[in-house]
Amino acid sequence: MAKKSKKQQQSGGTPATVALTAAGVEFTVHAYDHDPAHPSYGEEAAEAMGVSPDRVFKTLVADVDGTLTVAVVPVAGSLDLKALAAAVGGKRAAMADPALAERTTGYVRGGISPLGQRKKLPTVLDDSAQAHATVCVSAGRRGLEVELAPTDLAGLTEAVLAPIGRA
């Protein structure tokens, strides 16, 4: 994970929340007690926050023709790998090795945020995000979500908007 200053460590900031603060974007942090036994990080977040699963988005890392690519899709569905590849002009996509995704983003699985990643990766945000005033994504660790406008999320991650989620 990216090094944190003492001030960031004391405030509990993650690289994602630090990036949001630095960008001057309006956001809300939601913390909840993470249950390691829960079968789905995203569904757990939606339940804990009392938010519809179509407004909570999971961050997945895929390999598109040899390039790691971030896909941000609703937890209520799954990622369409063919659609992801097409969205970035690729031919084939597969889920990335979890250890590689963790090393590259600087986050642990279940806490990977599309924001504040160690290495800037191409990002695709499911276009269903546009239907909501705000969406929630991981704030950089399990049990911590950040809520923000989808336009801000897309802008900060330089995301392509495309229909990459499947119900």
Side-chain angles (χ1 to χ4, degrees), residues 38-109:
H38 201 289
S40 166
Y41 296 116
E43 288 175 14
E44 176 190 26
E47 291 166 11
M49 294 185 302
V51 175
S52 171
D54 64 341
R55 276 190 50 228
V56 179
F57 283 63
K58 56 189 168 188
T59 306
L60 303 171
V61 181
D63 180 319
V64 180
D65 299 335
T67 300
L68 288 182
T69 304
V70 174
V72 186
V73 297
V75 301
S78 60
L79 172 62
D80 181 335
L81 288 165
K82 285 184 182 183
L84 175 64
V88 294
K91 292 183 178 161
R92 187 176 175 283
M95 293 307 297
D97 173 68
L100 179 60
E102 289 179 345
R103 276 195 314 273
T104 305
T105 63
Y107 293 116
V108 297
R109 203 169 68 122

Side-chain angles (χ1 to χ4, degrees), residues 52-58 72-78 124-136 148-151 153-154 160-167:
S52 171
D54 64 341
R55 276 190 50 228
V56 179
F57 283 63
K58 56 189 168 188
V72 186
V73 297
V75 301
S78 60
V124 182
L125 173 60
D126 186 68
D127 63 359
S128 69
Q130 297 175 98
H132 308 287
T134 61
V135 294
C136 299
L148 72 164
T151 51
L153 177 60
V160 171
L161 287 163
I164 60 167
R166 262 193 292 219

